[in-house]
């Protein structure tokens, strides 16, 4: 199955806001509200930060927010902090036989 | 506390087999869908397989279909992944993960992850 499309890298300065996109098709992102986002620091397991497009699990900072327009989902991080530097992955339901697909990942650098 | 601990990784030759295990604790294991996700060195996450709490619903990624088998033993609170006909491209850290909510499928979100176990396929 084809991975969802994410930019390879984004960067921002402390205090700024950044947005990471996740582009799919009507068979996945565009057709269903089952988009989740994960944060992964080097050498660590991924952490769920957004589920069902816009919802934050308990304990996740409200600086993280999710949205969707058409077949593109977005993760916005406001008030960037140095500890936000990590890799970010989107994930979605897909009508393909596999049911689940990840994006290729985006490396966030906080300058 | 809620915890997942993977084991069973190692070095195996191409064409060989390996069985990964994931021991769960701190929650009612049989209530949750469980998944395996892998990450090749320097690469992104790749979902591998998921299984329902009662193991009657199973899905695989196309890249492993026919070679890998997911299973679970609810009496032992354990998840397994049998890896057969291994290839160099199967080299990765393999994570097990639990869905965020009871009876919810993985695409609703996976909120509990293990630390991963490393599989290296090389001659």
């Amino acid at each position: 199955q084809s991975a969802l499309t994410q930019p390879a890298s984004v960067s921002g300065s402390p205090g700024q806001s950044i947005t990471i996109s996740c582009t799919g098709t009507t068979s996945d992102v565009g057709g269903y509200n089952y988009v989740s986002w994960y944060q992964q620091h080097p050498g660590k397991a991924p952490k769920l930060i957004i589920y069902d497009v816009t919802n934050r699990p308990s304990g996740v900072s409200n600086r993280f927010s999710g949205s969707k327009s058409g077949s593109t989902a977005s993760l916005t991080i406001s008030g960037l902090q140095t500890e936000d530097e990590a890799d970010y992955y989107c994930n979605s339901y897909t009508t393909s036989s596999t049911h689940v697909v990840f994006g290729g990942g985006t490396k966030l650098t906080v300058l | 506390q809620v915890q997942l601990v993977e084991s069973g990784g190692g070095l195996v030759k191409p064409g060989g087999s390996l069985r990964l295990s994931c021991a769960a604790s701190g929650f009612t294991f049989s209530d949750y869908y469980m998944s395996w996700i892998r990450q090749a060195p320097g690469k992104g996450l790749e979902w591998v397989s998921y299984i329902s709490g009662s193991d009657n619903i199973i899905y695989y990624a196309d890249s492993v279909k026919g070679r890998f088998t997911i299973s679970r033993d609810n009496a032992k609170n354990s998840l397994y992944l049998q890896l057969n006909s291994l290839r160099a491209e199967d080299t990765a850290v393999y994570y097990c993960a639990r869905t965020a909510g009871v009876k919810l499928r993985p695409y609703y979100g996976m909120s509990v992850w293990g630390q991963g176990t490393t599989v290296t396929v090389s001659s």
Side-chain angles (χ1 to χ4, degrees), chain A residues 34 38 40 51 97-99, chain B residues 39 47 50 59 107-108 110 114:
Chain A
Y34 299 136
Y38 297 85
Q40 186 182 35
Y51 66 95
S97 61
T98 57
H99 266 209
Chain B
Q39 187 168 35
W47 173 78
Y50 79 74
Y59 283 87
Y107 44 79
Y108 284 87
M110 292 170 279

Side-chain angles (χ1 to χ4, degrees), chain A residues 15-18 61-65 76-81 84:
Chain A
Q16 287 186 332
S17 294
I18 63 94
S61 171
N62 59 9
R63 297 185 300 104
F64 294 91
S65 62
T76 297
I77 310 174
S78 58
L80 270 180
Q81 300 179 0
D84 297 333

Side-chain angles (χ1 to χ4, degrees), chain A residues 1-18:
Chain A
Q1 69 280 17
S2 299
L4 305 174
T5 301
Q6 298 181 231
S9 63
V10 297
S11 62
S13 300
Q16 287 186 332
S17 294
I18 63 94

Side-chain angles (χ1 to χ4, degrees), chain A residues 6 20 37-41 49 64 75 77 83-90 104-108:
Chain A
Q6 298 181 231
I20 298 171
W37 289 89
Y38 297 85
Q39 176 193 60
Q40 186 182 35
H41 288 106
I49 56 173
F64 294 91
L75 171 70
I77 310 174
E83 57 262 38
D84 297 333
E85 187 162 290
D87 294 323
Y88 292 85
Y89 296 90
C90 61
T106 298
K107 181 176 180 58
L108 168 62

